[in-house]
Amino acid sequence: MMQFTETPPQPLHQIVSFSNLTMNKNPIHRTRPWPGFPSSKSLGSFGDANCMEQLLVHCANAIESNDATLSQQILWVLNNIAPPDGDSNQRLTCAFLRALITRAAKSGTCKMLAAMANAHCNLVIDNHKFSVIELAGFVDLTPWHRFGFTAANAAILEAVEGYSVIHIVDLSLTHCMQIPTLVDAIANRFEGPPRLKLTIAGSTEDIPPMLDLSYEELGLKLINFARSRNVMMEFRVIPSSYADGFSSLIEQLRVQNLVYSESGEALVINCHMMLHYIPEETLPPIPNANSNPYFVESSCTSSIRTMFLKALRSLEPTIVLLIDEDADLTSNNLVCRLRSAFNYLWIPYDTVDTFLPRGSKQREWYEADICWKIENVIAHEGLQRVERLEPKSRWAQRMRNANFRGVAFGEDAVSEVKTMLDEHAAGWGLKKEEDDLVLMWKGHNAVFATAWVPA
């Protein structure tokens, strides 16, 4: 019999009522599959987010122990209380349920669940490929990305004041969508616009949101936009992967730094929701690591994530901006990851109801991105599991260990972030934690922004 805690933690979600809709058009079970399980009429007792989380945990444990009978019992309940077109808590639970079924199919355990996954094509996540115009509009829908853009751009402008050449290395999940606003601001500098160099890591990995054009085409559009603002821009793509800590990018930057060290250009490293894809585990030595002296370290003491930050420090950047989602999804234990993800990813599901109508294409794209993240966290292991978020406190310690020191965001940055938040729903908020800024939804941390300089 499933046990629930007598005093569950304070729910992060609203209490909801449930219909008897199922995950698929053709219900998996129309009647109770096993004696003793609740009827559809009594499923309301499972109706809050804490109970749904507990059911998902029990389902995960059953799948991991290859208990097909218990897995299907819990699946039946979840399938009846969490339709894909329900409220935010139901849609969140449905996404986790899909991910668990996918995990069962991948691992070969619980063969009946695996067969079910293969039978229901709606488990396949269809991620939209955005045009530049679509993606620009998409990231403007919510402060999730705009918060980091706004805070980082303000800090960059302050850090590069007086420089005639600014080199920006943009490690961004959103394909340079931050850059046009920065170009606009730089173009209006009192001392005149500087020359701008923009370098990005061209990766073959498909992580949403995805673009429908090449980085070369994107570069031409950015160069033309900058020219329209009287800013001369150079654009360069360096094929490099997060899987090895962007080692090719680091090596190219190191060589370029030796060439341009006398020029006095500003080097800005802008890391926007990208660094958590770098492996955080302590791994065996990297193949061909000897070609890059900054990645030769003892595998007993360092992860690729740590080595990347130390390599960044060796470049003596003018400023490093680190913006990411404030959660911990690094546990090797499936249940721990499930709990952490469930108690964090309710936020984007909850917010979507405030700015996108049911049935809209943008809402479909938005939730497909979250589903991709949930599936990666739950259904995958090893190098395939790339969604490895770490909380702000751990990133801050990593940066200090790499010999960086934090710098505070100025009043201009705080003011601009507040102005931006005023354009969005009332649930969004901003708080300052020492030198850092944190975006909140209904009092819960969502995204953090930090700024760093060499110590």
Side-chain angles (χ1 to χ4, degrees), residues 14 43 88 109 119 135 169 319 352 368 398:
Q14 58 186 358
L43 287 176
S88 60
T109 59
L135 185 56
V169 179
I319 191 169
V352 75
R398 285 187 181 277

Side-chain angles (χ1 to χ4, degrees), residues 87-361:
D87 63 27
S88 60
N89 287 330
Q90 291 170 315
R91 300 196 309 276
L92 172 72
T93 302
C94 180
F96 275 89
L97 178 59
R98 289 158 54 124
L100 285 170
I101 294 174
T102 301
R103 183 182 179 91
K106 284 175 62 67
S107 66
T109 59
C110 298
K111 288 187 170 22
M112 288 198 292
L113 280 180
M116 189 180 300
N118 294 329
H120 295 284
C121 60
N122 70 337
L123 291 175
V124 177
I125 299 170
D126 184 20
N127 286 107
H128 177 69
K129 287 198 171 185
F130 292 86
S131 70
V132 170
I133 298 299
E134 283 177 339
L135 185 56
F138 187 71
V139 298
D140 278 347
L141 288 171
T142 165
W144 202 266
H145 293 294
R146 289 189 73 198
F147 161 75
F149 293 176
T150 306
N153 282 350
I156 291 169
L157 286 174
E158 185 175 336
V160 303
E161 190 174 347
Y163 284 92
S164 59
V165 181
I166 301 171
H167 184 186
I168 298 173
V169 179
D170 194 38
L171 298 176
S172 171
L173 187 66
T174 56
H175 311 290
C176 302
M177 289 299 105
Q178 175 180 340
I179 301 302
T181 307
L182 181 60
V183 168
D184 264 336
I186 285 175
N188 295 322
R189 283 201 326 182
F190 177 76
E191 64 268 38
R195 186 158 62 93
L196 195 60
K197 298 178 181 179
L198 180 60
T199 298
I200 68 169
S203 178
T204 57
E205 294 93 355
D206 287 332
I207 296 176
M210 293 181 284
L211 275 179
D212 69 350
L213 76 167
S214 69
Y215 276 132
E216 287 72 18
E217 293 171 298
L218 174 65
L220 286 174
K221 290 181 181 292
L222 289 169
I223 288 170
N224 288 333
F225 175 82
R227 187 181 294 128
S228 74
R229 302 298 192 271
N230 296 316
V231 175
M232 297 305 297
M233 177 191 283
E234 300 173 22
F235 181 86
R236 183 168 62 147
V237 180
I238 298 176
S240 195
S241 171
Y242 58 74
D244 65 359
F246 299 107
S247 60
S248 298
L249 173 68
I250 291 290
E251 178 63 14
Q252 289 289 320
L253 293 174
R254 186 183 68 82
V255 171
Q256 184 170 319
N257 256 16
L258 293 175
V259 175
Y260 292 108
S261 59
E262 301 298 321
S263 67
E265 70 180 33
L267 176 61
V268 175
I269 312 291
N270 186 60
C271 306
H272 185 95
M273 299 192 184
M274 200 70 193
L275 296 197
H276 71 262
Y277 293 106
I278 299 173
E280 107 288 351
E281 298 169 309
T282 300
L283 298 173
I286 308 163
N288 303 318
N290 290 333
S291 64
N292 190 333
Y294 294 101
F295 282 86
V296 179
E297 283 203 39
S298 167
S299 63
C300 296
T301 58
S302 291
S303 66
I304 298 178
R305 199 168 284 192
T306 296
M307 291 188 284
F308 170 79
L309 294 179
K310 289 185 176 180
L312 274 194
R313 175 62 181 81
S314 73
L315 299 174
E316 296 287 342
T318 308
I319 191 169
V320 176
L321 287 310
L322 174 51
I323 292 94
D324 219 318
E325 298 163 322
D326 200 5
D328 185 358
L329 302 182
T330 59
S331 175
N332 288 325
N333 180 276
L334 173 63
V335 168
C336 288
R337 288 204 310 276
L338 188 152
R339 287 189 183 279
S340 293
F342 190 88
N343 284 284
Y344 176 68
L345 292 172
W346 71 273
I347 297 175
Y349 271 99
D350 195 45
T351 64
V352 75
D353 292 333
T354 67
F355 65 89
L356 289 175
R358 283 175 182 263
S360 72
K361 275 294 180 187

